[in-house]
Amino acid sequence: MSAIEDLSFTLAGPTTDYGYTSFGSDVTTPGYVTEDGTVATCDANSNCTYTFLHAVPAAATGTYAIAVESERLENILQGTTTAQQVESGTKNQVVYFSVDGSAVQSRREVVAKANCNQCHLALTGHGARRNDPEYCIMCHNPSLTDASTRAQSKDPTILAQPPQALNFNFLVHRIHTGSNLAAKGANYVEISHNGRVDNFSNMLYAPFNGEGAPGDTQKCYMCHVNGSEQNLPDSANQVTNGQYYINPTPPVTSACSGCHASKSEAIHFQSNIGSLGGSTAEACDVCHAAGAQFAVDAEHAQ
C-alpha cells in the first residue's frame, strides 16, 4: 500500500535563463514559485485540475516552464518483522509553453540525466522528489543562494559569512572538484535546512580512479552532451555569489570558476570582464570559443 505525501508544481521562466523573474511580492523563492498540488480539484474518475495562484508576469515574453514533483510513502514487507515505510519519488516532468505566442523554446540541454546515472545510478535530491537536471535548474538558478537556510544556523561564524551560491553549474562543478579545491585555496560549503553544514570540499570524483585524480574532471563528456561545455553562456544572467572573489559573477566566469577556483584564476577572469553598451561583458570567447587557440574542448581533452 502507498499514500501520496507530497505533490508540488514549480513555475519558472523564461527558458533563455532562469533566476530573476518575480512571481509576486509574497514569493520568497528567487526566480521561481512552487505551489501545493495536493489541493487540486478532482472528479469521480480521479481526473484532477489545479489552477496556479501566482500568474506569469504580465510583461513576460518567450517560453516558460512548469514542472511537477511528487513523493509517496510506501509500506513494504507488511506482516513481517521487517515491515517498514519508505519514500518513493516519481519522475519529474517539465513542460514548456509560450507566454506571448512566439515559438516554444525549450531550455538548452547541457547535461543529461542518463550521464549522471552512469555514476549516481538513480540521481535524486531533497528526499526522493527531485531527480532530473532539467528540473533542478529551475530552482538552482543564478539568484539562488543558501541565505534562507544559513539564517537557521546557531553558529555566529556561519551567520557572519555571506550566502553561498547554489547556481547549478557552479554548484555541480564545485562538488565534483571536491577535494581538489584545497590546492586552489577554495572550498564548497553550503548551509542546508535547520542550519546543517554540508561540506563538499572532501568529495572525490572517481569514475576512473579510486583516489579521485584531478585529471578525471577534465572528461567533460561524462556529464555534458553535444559538446555543450564549449557553448559559453555569455548571454545568460549574472550569478549571486557572495563567497567568491567576483560578485555578482558573470555567467561564463561562474561556470568556469566552479573548477578553476584559485585567486590567480579569479584575477584572470576579472581581467577579461568589462562594461560595454551599459552591460557587463566577458571576453572569454576570444581565446576559449570553439576553434580558438585555447578552446574549452581542446583544453579539457584527454
Side-chain angles (χ1 to χ4, degrees), residues 38 47 81 94 97-98 123 166 183 254 283:
T38 61
N47 297 308
T81 57
V94 181
F97 61 96
S98 174
L123 180 70
L166 300 179
S254 174

Side-chain angles (χ1 to χ4, degrees), residues 171-229:
L171 173 149
V172 170
H173 284 169
R174 280 287 167 108
I175 289 176
H176 286 81
T177 303
S179 60
N180 300 312
L181 288 169
K184 296 175 177 288
N187 60 34
Y188 191 70
V189 181
E190 64 163 301
I191 308 305
S192 188
H193 297 283
N194 299 315
R196 185 182 73 240
V197 177
D198 292 333
N199 188 346
F200 296 98
S201 305
N202 61 353
M203 298 291 290
L204 293 177
Y205 178 72
F208 296 102
N209 185 315
E211 297 179 357
D216 293 344
T217 58
Q218 290 183 271
K219 296 179 172 66
C220 302
Y221 61 84
M222 287 292 296
C223 302
H224 286 263
V225 293
N226 304 319
S228 61
E229 70 276 8

Side-chain angles (χ1 to χ4, degrees), residues 26 31 64 73 78 145 151 160 198 207 215 240 247 264 276 291:
D26 62 319
Y64 275 55
L73 294 177
Q78 295 185 79
T145 70
D198 292 333
T240 302
N247 180 44
S264 59
L276 190 65

Side-chain angles (χ1 to χ4, degrees), residues 93-115:
Q93 303 284 344
V94 181
V95 176
Y96 300 102
F97 61 96
S98 174
V99 299
D100 61 358
S102 60
V104 174
Q105 181 181 352
S106 300
R107 175 70 178 189
R108 60 186 180 274
E109 186 179 23
V110 177
V111 299
K113 178 179 178 181
N115 288 359

Side-chain angles (χ1 to χ4, degrees), residues 6-133:
D6 178 79
L7 173 66
S8 299
F9 296 102
T10 295
L11 176 66
T15 54
T16 48
D17 207 24
Y18 302 126
Y20 289 96
T21 298
S22 173
F23 289 95
S25 59
D26 62 319
V27 179
T28 58
T29 48
Y32 68 96
V33 59
T34 298
E35 296 187 6
D36 181 7
T38 61
V39 297
T41 301
C42 302
D43 62 22
N45 296 316
S46 296
N47 297 308
C48 302
T49 301
Y50 179 78
T51 302
F52 244 74
L53 301 178
H54 295 87
V56 173
T61 59
T63 298
Y64 275 55
I66 189 167
V68 63
E69 64 178 67
S70 64
E71 192 170 60
R72 304 185 72 87
L73 294 177
E74 308 282 354
N75 297 302
I76 63 174
L77 303 174
Q78 295 185 79
T80 73
T81 57
T82 55
Q84 57 187 291
Q85 190 174 72
V86 298
E87 293 178 335
S88 172
T90 55
K91 179 182 177 181
N92 298 141
Q93 303 284 344
V94 181
V95 176
Y96 300 102
F97 61 96
S98 174
V99 299
D100 61 358
S102 60
V104 174
Q105 181 181 352
S106 300
R107 175 70 178 189
R108 60 186 180 274
E109 186 179 23
V110 177
V111 299
K113 178 179 178 181
N115 288 359
C116 300
N117 286 339
Q118 290 183 83
C119 296
H120 293 280
L121 302 182
L123 180 70
T124 58
H126 304 282
R129 292 175 294 172
R130 297 156 197 176
N131 48 61
D132 197 312

